[in-house]
Amino acid sequence: MMSEVQTKTTVRVRLNVNGAVHELDVEPRWLLSDVLRHQLGLTGTHVGCEQGVCGACTVLVDGKPERSCLMFAVQAEGHEVTTIEGLTPADGLSPLQEAFQEHHALQCGFCTPGMVVTAAALLRDRPNPTEEEVREALSGNVCRCTGYQFIVDAVLAAAKEGRS
Amino acid sequence: MTAEMLKPRFTGARVTRIEDARLLRGQARYLDDIAAPGMLEMAFVRSNRAAARILSIDTSAALRVPGVKAVWTFADIPITLVNSAYPVQQPVLARDEVRHVGELVVAVIAEDRYTAEDAAELVQVKYDPLPPVLDTRAAMTDEPRRVHADRPNRFYHKVQETDGFQQAFAGAPRKLKLTFTTHRQTGVPLETRGCAAMPDPASGRLTVYATHQSPHNFRAQLARVLGLPENLVRVVVPEVGGGFGIKAMFYPEYVVVAEAARRLGRPVKWVSDRTECLLTDAHARDAVHEVEVAFTEDGRIVALRDHVLGDTGAYPFLGFAGAVGEAGWATDMLTGPYKIPYVSITIDCVFSNKAPTGPYRGVGGPIGAQVHEGVVDAIARELQMDPADVRRVNFIGPDDFPYETPTGNVYDPGSYRESLERALALVDYERLRRQQAEWRKQGRYVGIGLCSFVEPSAFAESEAGSIPYEAASVRIEPNGTVTASFGLGPTGQGHETTMAQLIADQLGVDVKDVVVLHGDTDSAPFGGGTGGSRSGTIGGGAAVRAGQELRTKLVKLAAHLLEASEEDIELTEGKAQVAGVPARGLSIRELARIAYTDVGRLPEGMTPGLEVLVRYRPPMAATYSNGIHLAVVEVDVKTGFVRVLDYVVVNDCGKLINPMIVEGQIHGGVAQGIGSALLEELRYDGNGQLVTTSLMDYLLPSSTDVPRMRIEHLETPSAAEGGFKGMGEGSLIGAPGAIANAVSDALAPFGVFVTDLPIRPEQIVRWVRQGA
Ligand code: FES
Ligand code: FES
């Protein structure tokens, strides 16, 4: 049980997000997902479970897909964090995002940023994945709407056209 | 009608979605993305008991936490929800007694969610436990006690029997008895539920943002509960991350949040976490069907009896007691695509000390289909017939339409036989059966499962809002672009695209020039929202009719200005022109400018502006889509693991507006059906504790669980505008039965016949051991 009257202690962190450095005062227990969304306004990162299961909160940490609901913001200090906003061009869509649109790889869109982030990392590391590899790579990202097929198609199509 | 109307440019085409760009860029605004200066956040203390009297609630420690604004119990918000059909009291915050784990007891409002949760942990609630009512059969006789002291647990009882049933049943040569059980599941939209309320002291109005499928229904319920006039309540449904029925319900949290905002004079937000969702989002599918079927030696079903026991949990949702809705749908559709002349149906629904049940995509449809398809397969096994043949013997034929079922549905034409034959052709059924026999010799247990279904859609009444019509408000702006507004509540179905397709075709403009608004009661015409697969058919019909009306005015105006007759005017590519003489034309933009700002040029008697509001009510009470699912599964008899090897859907939802969107809907429903059949179960322990409170325990299908699906469309049009039929639920109606039958087929050598869903690996292993 925590003490009845608490004094909130915040610590200063420097976060490198999408290439920009932010100095923030955060409580050590604040999740990276919350800080991205509510302190930095990067609401493209979604929270579907905070249980580390759904993958909606996926961001890249030093290029690797990570669940931002399983990390404290303070743990991200010294690492490069990339969110969906960082993978999105100033205008229009990236080739991978375009493939998602062309193949109807999204319905409600809630899983979509996490899917795009995960797929972008896959295609960077494996430019020509098989269908099985795509399914494997996406298996930590839940989509409740699409049944995955068109997402898989979009990623394969993006790979085929050398886009990511 | 002009040539361009005969060949629509967008309707029926695979148009990519207008909504996608903002979603893909991460710029869509969902509920939790809404912020306002001074916004407070709420957290709840929920009951950790299934049944208990509340002895005391101590909020003093919580109130001392810096940043806490208020800590409220029922004494502070004495508001009670009452479903008028089954009037039991549901206090928005528990009063004296708790009736299920997860029930709201205390609301904590603080500067931010972290603080609210800290304070919530300091609230002390003392309970005196009561014996929980958990077993449906025992609950029928009020054992061990009543959930609501003033009402029996069995709150709903209905009997319906076709005249002559008894005789027909008794006279049939063959009979079978089967009990089908489905366990609790829930929709699990990836975005959790939530709401945010903002008072506007200047106007006295209250704006409420909510994750909901029916903005107007939400407004009506909130206004009624809070005693506010509807014109002082604005409901805005932002981007919604999936709904699947659970977001069509009105939950007590919404009342508490709205009331807090009014009392504190500040914006207040609550977003549920996943555990809260699994505890309290409408549960579904908690039903037992005790079935007896009478049939002939050649497999013809003569009579079908079904006794349903349904558990609705502790409270009926406003306007929709889940167990009643599910049992009603399941039994109403009990005869599915078959000509079964006699039915006898008994429904009993009880209260229990579990979470309230409500709609989940398909409502009772998946259970009804599992029952009639299980029955057909059981007959096939009994008579050693091919399951496809038993279906052929019983199908309602093409000459039987309109066909009235013994439960009173009047089916419009469908393609029941044809869809079966198409599905069998797609997998080369004969060859597959031979292959299956080969595999079996090699010790591979592969099964083929069929599930033929009829999906009632676009009914006069549904859980989303009981109105038999939809409205479309469409205007051409002074610069020629089009704005349309609907009372629909999409949660991913792509209405901004499909409605735009329909309107664009009527007006001869590009689909990208049509902006579709929805979700805001201040701008949307009154509508029923999205649910019961009604939006495409009823909303789409309204879109077409509104487009037609506007088109008529455009043509009249153009004819007048071009000095041509109306019959000669065609609308195409953003222009009104004399047919075949493109040079004699005016752009829509120019016509719009004239209609609004150069009104001296309008023909005699024409009102200025280009704006219509049209309400469309289809001519029938419902239209019936149909289809068939065929699953090929392999069961690993050592581990009990089921792998789906192939999956085929033949679907007939009338005229297609956008095949790509229809396919996406089907894919998603099949995935949910695989979850329903193999993975998903909300499990309560003997004390009424929900033990599946995370997505680690409540398993959702992942990209490696769902196979590649093949879909073929058939198009038997409905009598509704455009010939559309609804299709949002059919895929989840068909899938669980197909998987169940496939697993039964795979395990036939062990004498296994699946009647309970989900099928867990442990169960399969047990069956195999017993059967071997
Ligand atoms: S929100 Fe992080 S995994 Fe679900
Ligand atoms: S599109 Fe809705 S969860 Fe994936």
Side-chain angles (χ1 to χ4, degrees):
Chain A
M1 169 89 36
M2 61 190 72
S3 71
E4 285 203 4
V5 178
Q6 317 147 31
T7 33
K8 292 213 186 97
T9 43
T10 58
V11 293
R12 177 139 282 230
V13 287
R14 282 166 62 88
L15 292 185
N16 180 338
V17 181
N18 300 331
V21 175
H22 304 265
E23 298 239 6
L24 297 168
D25 292 317
V26 303
E27 286 185 43
R29 60 178 178 160
W30 285 359
L31 302 175
L32 177 59
S33 52
D34 281 339
V35 169
L36 291 172
R37 291 175 45 75
H38 301 305
Q39 307 316 115
L40 297 180
L42 297 169
T43 54
T45 299
H46 296 156
V47 172
C49 69
E50 286 190 334
Q51 296 166 338
V53 182
C54 77
C57 64
T58 305
V59 298
L60 300 180
V61 177
D62 297 331
K64 268 186 48 211
E66 297 283 357
R67 281 144 210 265
S68 60
C69 78
L70 289 184
M71 272 180 88
F72 296 114
V74 291
Q75 293 174 296
E77 183 144 28
H79 300 281
E80 276 177 33
V81 177
T82 309
T83 67
I84 184 67
E85 290 87 350
L87 295 178
T88 302
D91 281 319
L93 299 173
S94 71
L96 176 61
Q97 288 167 327
E98 264 171 22
F100 267 60
Q101 176 167 37
E102 272 162 39
H103 290 269
H104 187 32
L106 59 152
Q107 291 180 29
C108 79
F110 203 76
C111 71
T112 308
M115 289 284 181
V116 170
V117 167
T118 307
L122 168 74
L123 294 184
R124 182 203 54 212
D125 297 341
R126 286 199 71 85
N128 287 302
T130 62
E131 170 159 358
E132 256 178 67
E133 285 170 329
V134 172
R135 286 187 182 267
E136 198 52 52
L138 298 178
S139 64
N141 291 65
V142 171
C143 176
R144 192 58 161 164
C145 300
T146 65
Y148 305 102
Q149 186 155 319
F150 284 164
I151 299 178
V152 172
D153 288 349
V155 176
L156 288 171
K160 200 156 161 216
E161 286 155 42
R163 323 186 293 185
S164 66
Chain B
M1 196 174 272
T2 63
E4 171 255 327
M5 279 309 297
L6 293 174
K7 246 204 274 140
R9 191 168 150 216
F10 299 109
T11 307
R14 303 178 79 88
V15 176
T16 56
R17 298 200 321 170
I18 291 164
E19 357 342 46
D20 286 355
R22 66 172 185 266
L23 299 165
L24 281 160
R25 293 174 57 88
Q27 289 174 327
R29 191 164 293 137
Y30 297 89
L31 189 102
D32 192 37
D33 305 335
I34 290 165
M39 186 178 256
L40 302 171
E41 291 201 73
M42 193 176 283
F44 291 99
V45 177
R46 292 171 183 272
S47 172
N48 54 15
R49 312 288 173 121
R53 257 185 288 280
I54 298 174
L55 297 177
S56 66
I57 302 175
D58 181 357
T59 61
S60 54
L63 276 165
R64 284 198 294 274
V65 174
V68 168
K69 293 289 162 220
V71 182
W72 286 339
T73 66
F74 181 79
D76 303 293
I77 305 195
I79 297 174
T80 297
L81 306 178
V82 181
N83 174 317
S84 53
Y86 316 108
V88 293
Q89 308 275 313
Q90 181 182 15
V92 292
L93 296 169
R95 162 200 210 170
D96 307 332
E97 189 175 329
V98 290
R99 294 188 176 84
H100 67 91
V101 171
E103 183 167 1
L104 303 182
V105 182
V106 179
V108 180
I109 304 126
E111 294 290 352
D112 60 63
R113 176 74 181 235
Y114 282 91
T115 308
E117 283 183 19
D118 287 348
E121 279 189 42
L122 299 178
V123 172
Q124 305 246 2
V125 185
K126 286 217 173 67
Y127 295 106
D128 179 19
L130 296 164
V133 178
L134 300 170
D135 181 81
T136 311
R137 281 173 215 275
M140 292 269 288
T141 51
D142 284 348
E143 292 299 329
R145 46 186 282 281
R146 286 183 172 185
V147 174
H148 297 276
D150 54 341
R151 285 184 77 90
N153 288 334
R154 187 177 80 164
F155 68 96
Y156 182 87
H157 175 71
K158 182 184 159 187
V159 180
Q160 180 189 1
E161 191 171 282
T162 324
D163 286 342
F165 172 87
Q166 298 296 345
Q167 241 177 330
F169 191 88
R174 306 285 294 243
K175 284 172 196 118
L176 270 176
K177 230 179 178 162
L178 297 145
T179 300
F180 295 89
T181 308
T182 50
H183 295 281
R184 281 192 172 224
Q185 303 182 330
T186 181
V188 198
L190 202 55
E191 180 206 28
T192 61
R193 279 193 298 123
C195 96
M198 305 184 192
D200 176 11
S203 65
R205 298 183 87 217
L206 179 71
T207 299
V208 184
Y209 292 83
T211 53
H212 205 264
Q213 295 171 221
S214 176
H216 289 94
N217 205 27
F218 185 100
R219 184 182 68 174
Q221 283 167 330
L222 188 70
R224 196 179 314 126
V225 169
L226 296 183
L228 295 172
E230 288 192 2
N231 62 359
L232 291 188
V233 181
R234 175 187 180 197
V235 171
V236 183
V237 173
E239 203 83 57
V240 180
F244 312 119
I246 76 109
K247 287 181 183 167
M249 295 294 97
F250 187 72
Y251 295 83
E253 290 94 345
Y254 304 157
V255 179
V256 182
V257 169
E259 189 60 11
R262 288 177 70 208
R263 292 223 205 144
L264 300 172
R266 286 175 62 173
V268 177
K269 177 164 82 175
W270 165 77
V271 177
S272 98
D273 66 25
R274 183 53 65 189
T275 298
E276 291 180 285
C277 279
L278 289 165
L279 285 169
T280 64
D281 282 6
H283 289 184
R285 314 275 200 262
D286 192 347
V288 179
H289 287 246
E290 296 167 339
V291 176
E292 286 178 273
V293 57
F295 53 101
T296 62
E297 299 292 350
D298 60 356
R300 206 163 40 77
I301 303 173
V302 177
L304 194 54
R305 176 184 279 142
D306 187 4
H307 180 194
V308 191
L309 295 173
D311 176 349
T312 221
Y315 304 101
F317 275 106
L318 289 188
F320 193 84
V324 178
E326 281 189 336
W329 183 336
T331 54
D332 200 45
M333 296 304 296
L334 189 64
T335 57
Y338 306 115
K339 254 179 158 168
I340 303 173
Y342 298 99
V343 295
S344 171
I345 292 160
T346 307
I347 301 175
D348 286 303
C349 298
V350 299
F351 293 122
S352 72
N353 288 119
K354 298 182 190 171
T357 64
Y360 170 32
R361 193 177 193 176
V363 189
I367 304 176
Q370 187 203 344
V371 169
H372 60 68
E373 295 306 280
V375 163
V376 165
D377 272 28
I379 292 172
R381 189 176 289 189
E382 185 76 7
L383 299 174
Q384 299 190 343
M385 284 174 71
D386 189 294
D389 287 334
V390 181
R391 286 175 175 80
R392 288 184 179 114
V393 168
N394 286 289
F395 272 141
I396 297 162
D399 304 329
D400 297 325
F401 298 110
Y403 177 82
E404 185 169 353
T405 70
T407 49
N409 295 297
V410 181
Y411 289 172
D412 49 349
S415 50
Y416 307 168
R417 278 187 191 156
E418 194 187 347
S419 54
L420 169 72
E421 302 308 335
R422 287 304 311 146
L424 298 181
L426 280 169
V427 296
D428 194 349
Y429 187 65
E430 300 304 325
R431 195 194 50 83
L432 185 61
R433 282 286 179 203
R434 285 195 298 275
Q435 172 86 68
Q436 178 191 28
E438 273 310 305
W439 278 326
R440 216 166 259 178
K441 281 186 209 144
Q442 299 160 16
R444 286 183 64 185
Y445 295 91
V446 174
I448 304 161
L450 290 167
C451 185
S452 184
F453 67 91
V454 181
E455 174 189 10
S457 70
F459 349 81
E461 302 213 341
S462 81
E463 79 280 5
S466 299
I467 57 168
Y469 62 86
E470 254 328 304
S473 152
V474 183
R475 63 176 185 266
I476 300 179
E477 306 287 0
N479 75 347
T481 54
V482 182
T483 309
S485 178
F486 292 83
L488 301 173
T491 55
Q493 295 87 344
H495 295 159
E496 289 171 39
T497 305
T498 47
M499 297 301 138
Q501 288 175 256
L502 298 171
I503 293 167
D505 276 340
Q506 290 300 328
L507 301 179
V509 300
D510 193 89
V511 70
K512 294 202 178 64
D513 287 332
V514 182
V515 167
V516 172
L517 305 176
H518 52 80
D520 185 339
T521 56
D522 271 8
S523 64
F526 183 83
T530 294
S533 299
R534 62 193 299 284
S535 298
T537 307
I538 314 184
V544 172
R545 290 279 171 93
Q548 284 168 350
E549 211 169 285
L550 212 42
R551 166 190 187 82
T552 304
K553 188 165 182 182
L554 277 177
V555 167
K556 212 181 199 130
L557 175 58
H560 172 74
L561 294 170
L562 294 168
E563 295 173 355
S565 83
E566 285 174 33
E567 299 79 73
D568 290 340
I569 299 293
E570 63 179 15
L571 298 184
T572 181
E573 290 179 27
K575 278 195 330 220
Q577 64 191 31
V578 178
V581 196
R584 265 182 82 196
L586 286 165
S587 67
I588 305 281
R589 188 190 177 103
E590 177 62 4
L591 291 171
R593 191 194 63 76
I594 293 166
Y596 285 99
T597 62
D598 198 358
V599 296
R601 294 173 66 189
L602 298 181
E604 184 90 19
M606 181 178 277
T607 47
L610 290 168
E611 184 165 13
V612 298
L613 171 62
V614 170
R615 294 205 146 78
Y616 174 66
R617 180 179 182 177
M620 62 283 171
T623 175
Y624 298 84
S625 291
N626 71 277
I628 192 161
H629 289 212
L630 188 157
V632 183
V633 306
E634 176 161 13
V635 181
D636 182 329
V637 295
K638 287 203 189 69
T639 61
F641 185 75
V642 178
R643 194 155 64 95
V644 186
L645 302 178
D646 194 12
Y647 205 100
V648 162
V649 177
V650 179
N651 200 73
D652 187 343
C653 58
K655 286 283 170 205
L656 299 173
I657 301 173
N658 186 328
M660 192 175 74
I661 286 179
V662 168
E663 287 160 21
Q665 287 284 313
I666 294 172
H667 291 159
V670 170
Q672 286 174 323
I674 290 171
S676 275
L678 300 174
L679 300 168
E680 301 180 34
E681 183 179 354
L682 291 161
R683 278 194 304 280
Y684 282 91
D685 70 10
N687 299 316
Q689 292 289 341
L690 186 71
V691 296
T692 48
T693 55
S694 84
L695 296 182
M696 273 161 298
D697 311 301
Y698 188 88
L699 300 176
L700 299 174
S702 75
S703 53
T704 47
D705 297 320
V706 182
R708 182 157 284 279
M709 298 157 247
R710 293 182 281 156
I711 296 172
E712 192 166 296
H713 302 287
L714 298 174
E715 294 188 79
T716 310
S718 75
E721 185 63 62
F724 313 134
K725 294 179 176 180
M727 59 74 50
E729 297 165 283
S731 48
L732 182 47
I733 294 173
I739 300 285
N741 282 344
V743 172
S744 293
D745 188 45
L747 296 179
F750 301 94
V752 172
F753 192 81
V754 174
T755 51
D756 290 15
L757 295 184
I759 317 162
R760 310 186 63 81
E762 313 89 83
Q763 178 62 51
I764 290 178
V765 171
R766 260 197 306 275
W767 278 332
V768 168
R769 275 207 206 109
Q770 285 159 6

